[in-house]
Amino acid sequence: MNPLLKNPAQWPLVKLKGLTSHGKLPDEADRALAQITVGSYDMIAWIHSSGRCGLSGSGWSMYVDMTKSEGNPQREEGFSGPVEPAVGISRESKVRLFCTPTRMLIRVEGQMSEPSVSGDAVAQPVNGGLNAVVGSWEAQKESLPGATVTPGG
């Protein structure tokens, strides 16, 4: 068992500045970290101090509670960087979210048009979809070193 998973106050994710202006967050969230848009998806990546890590879009929301998981050491396909205890969830096999204490890895299948990010995120079109990383600058560089979609860019 990874003790870091059980202590959300120590996660590098909670130390991120996050977004100051954003759309409405779901009830399960208390801080928005990034906004990611691509094709028909406009999503907010968020966390809750109790240990939830999630993603929400128009009319939907999904999350995992990392404190209730053992976290399987893994790294999502298409990303580089360290293999960390991760918890994953998907929505209609189109959007996948992997959460670790240091970063969120997001994959959107089949959408590549007009990608943009704001907040603590970068993204890159990969294999007919979009990969995005929410985390510190170091986590972004480790997981998507060739990111072409950056905040304000």
Side-chain angles (χ1 to χ4, degrees), residues 40-62:
S40 60
Y41 288 93
D42 184 353
M43 304 169 289
I44 298 283
W46 54 263
I47 57 171
H48 190 281
S49 56
S50 67
R52 284 176 284 209
C53 162
L55 192 63
S56 57
S58 180
W60 61 272
S61 182
M62 64 181 182

Side-chain angles (χ1 to χ4, degrees), residues 2 72-76 79-86 100 103 142:
N2 186 311
N72 298 318
Q74 61 187 358
R75 181 177 58 229
E76 174 69 346
F79 294 92
S80 57
V83 174
E84 300 177 291
T100 80
R103 69 202 74 209
E142 283 176 346

Side-chain angles (χ1 to χ4, degrees), residues 39 89 108:
I89 189 170
V108 182

Side-chain angles (χ1 to χ4, degrees), residues 13 33 44-47 53-55 79 97-100 102-106 132-135:
L13 274 179
L33 298 182
I44 298 283
W46 54 263
I47 57 171
C53 162
L55 192 63
F79 294 92
L97 168 68
F98 276 81
C99 296
T100 80
T102 65
R103 69 202 74 209
M104 298 165 70
L105 306 176
I106 299 160
V133 177
V134 176

Side-chain angles (χ1 to χ4, degrees), residues 8-145:
Q10 297 302 310
W11 296 350
L13 274 179
V14 303
K15 296 171 176 62
L16 296 175
K17 188 173 98 179
L19 291 174
T20 51
S21 63
H22 50 77
K24 181 177 174 348
L25 287 174
D27 294 341
E28 305 88 23
D30 63 9
R31 278 189 60 224
L33 298 182
Q35 182 171 12
I36 299 145
T37 58
V38 60
S40 60
Y41 288 93
D42 184 353
M43 304 169 289
I44 298 283
W46 54 263
I47 57 171
H48 190 281
S49 56
S50 67
R52 284 176 284 209
C53 162
L55 192 63
S56 57
S58 180
W60 61 272
S61 182
M62 64 181 182
Y63 70 91
V64 293
D65 185 335
M66 290 198 288
T67 64
K68 292 186 171 30
S69 171
E70 296 301 311
N72 298 318
Q74 61 187 358
R75 181 177 58 229
E76 174 69 346
E77 187 179 333
F79 294 92
S80 57
V83 174
E84 300 177 291
V87 184
I89 189 170
S90 65
R91 179 177 184 275
E92 298 173 357
S93 70
K94 290 282 187 203
V95 180
R96 290 197 308 273
L97 168 68
F98 276 81
C99 296
T100 80
T102 65
R103 69 202 74 209
M104 298 165 70
L105 306 176
I106 299 160
R107 170 70 181 172
V108 182
E109 293 290 349
Q111 300 280 326
M112 291 179 52
S113 64
E114 300 180 38
S116 70
V117 295
S118 59
D120 296 296
V122 295
Q124 179 177 346
V126 177
N127 295 336
L130 188 77
N131 286 0
V133 177
V134 176
S136 67
W137 183 85
E138 293 83 5
Q140 294 171 11
K141 284 288 177 206
E142 283 176 346
S143 294
L144 271 182

